Amino acid sequence: MKTTNYQKLRDAELAKMTSDERALYDEAYAKAGLTMRMAQLFYDARTAAGLTQAELARRMHTTQPTIAALEGGGRLPTLDMLERLAQATGHSLEIRLSA
């Protein structure tokens, strides 16, 4: 696989970081990934249930802008919100760890 200029620049910047800076970077990168997976989860559950953002918000006892923020990756849901999403879309919440 060919290395792009972006990858070369990114690798060079990462190599300049101290171990503490790299740890902070890795943590932020992982959190961003989690936020986007949660955004996709909300969108997929809502659309599979045939709901608009407004209808999902009503069923979850929240607001449409809150749903939009969750689906846009601008906000990470709480466990309570995940449970309400499951109930509102006819699912059950299951949390598991995987390797």
Side-chain angles (χ1 to χ4, degrees), residues 8-73:
K8 289 177 186 176
L9 288 171
R10 180 179 174 268
D11 290 346
E13 289 302 312
L14 292 175
K16 293 178 191 175
M17 290 182 183
T18 66
S19 60
D20 288 342
E21 290 170 335
R22 181 59 192 259
L24 286 172
Y25 172 86
D26 290 343
E27 181 180 339
Y29 189 85
K31 185 175 180 180
L34 174 62
T35 302
M36 294 315 296
R37 288 192 304 276
M38 291 292 103
Q40 190 68 51
L41 175 80
F42 262 76
Y43 175 81
D44 290 346
R46 178 180 64 78
T47 57
L51 301 173
T52 64
Q53 287 183 347
E55 178 59 20
L56 178 60
R58 187 187 68 72
R59 290 183 182 194
M60 289 180 61
H61 307 288
T62 190
T63 65
Q64 180 275 327
T66 296
I67 300 301
L70 289 162
E71 288 186 6

Side-chain angles (χ1 to χ4, degrees), residues 65-80:
T66 296
I67 300 301
L70 289 162
E71 288 186 6
R75 183 171 173 187
L76 193 60
T78 63
L79 284 175
D80 177 63

Side-chain angles (χ1 to χ4, degrees), residues 2-13:
K2 184 178 179 182
T3 303
T4 65
N5 285 336
Y6 168 78
Q7 289 169 319
K8 289 177 186 176
L9 288 171
R10 180 179 174 268
D11 290 346
E13 289 302 312

